[in-house]
Amino acid sequence: RSEITMVTGPREQDWQSMVVPLVQAAEKFNVSMVGPNLTHFSVGVAPKARGWELHHRAMDRATEIVDELLALSPRPPRFVIMLLYREEAKLLLCAAYRRGVSGFIFMQLGWFASVLHGENWWR
């Protein structure tokens, strides 16, 4: 069975509208979500919404998330869905790079990245 996880921005940014369809799509395609429970999302998806919240824009929190991701047993998921704004996404990718992470696919919704951040937002 395939596994994914997600990293969301702070809960005050209201990621609910993106988390619910992500959880529903994972269920539809028999994909497991792994990571800590994100219980602050709606009652219907809360038990199944798993991942991390980058609750403050700081490298130490991004590094903590990457370390916890790498420590998942029996293995970390290959796909990491980033529901983050540009600055948070940069922090997470930088933390992963500094930890020497390889073999992961970090994904940000395509329309979301290009509309909010413009082309080449990662630079």
Side-chain angles (χ1 to χ4, degrees):
R1 184 169 174 163
S2 298
E3 296 176 332
I4 62 170
T5 194
M6 69 177 154
V7 179
T8 70
R11 62 186 74 186
E12 61 268 10
Q13 292 175 345
D14 192 23
W15 295 99
Q16 183 80 19
S17 65
M18 298 178 111
V19 170
V20 171
L22 177 61
V23 170
Q24 291 169 340
E27 286 180 329
K28 179 180 178 180
F29 292 103
N30 200 29
V31 173
S32 298
M33 295 194 74
V34 297
N37 275 332
L38 295 172
T39 57
H40 58 279
F41 291 109
S42 76
V43 176
V45 300
K48 300 167 193 154
R50 300 181 72 86
W52 285 265
E53 177 188 3
L54 187 56
H55 48 73
H56 62 278
R57 191 180 287 171
M59 182 56 79
D60 62 332
R61 176 63 182 144
T63 301
E64 182 180 298
I65 290 171
V66 170
D67 289 343
E68 290 177 15
L69 179 63
L70 291 170
L72 283 177
S73 219
R75 67 185 186 285
R78 184 172 169 118
F79 294 95
V80 179
I81 311 298
M82 298 186 303
L83 300 178
L84 302 166
Y85 288 115
R86 179 174 71 181
E87 294 307 315
E88 288 95 354
K90 284 181 178 181
L91 283 172
L92 186 66
L93 293 173
C94 185
Y97 176 80
R98 288 181 176 183
R99 287 291 195 242
V101 170
S102 64
F104 287 80
I105 299 171
F106 289 89
M107 299 174 63
Q108 189 169 29
L109 300 178
W111 67 267
F112 182 71
S114 63
V115 169
L116 292 179
H117 312 308
E119 276 189 55
N120 302 322
W121 66 268
W122 59 88
R123 293 183 185 190

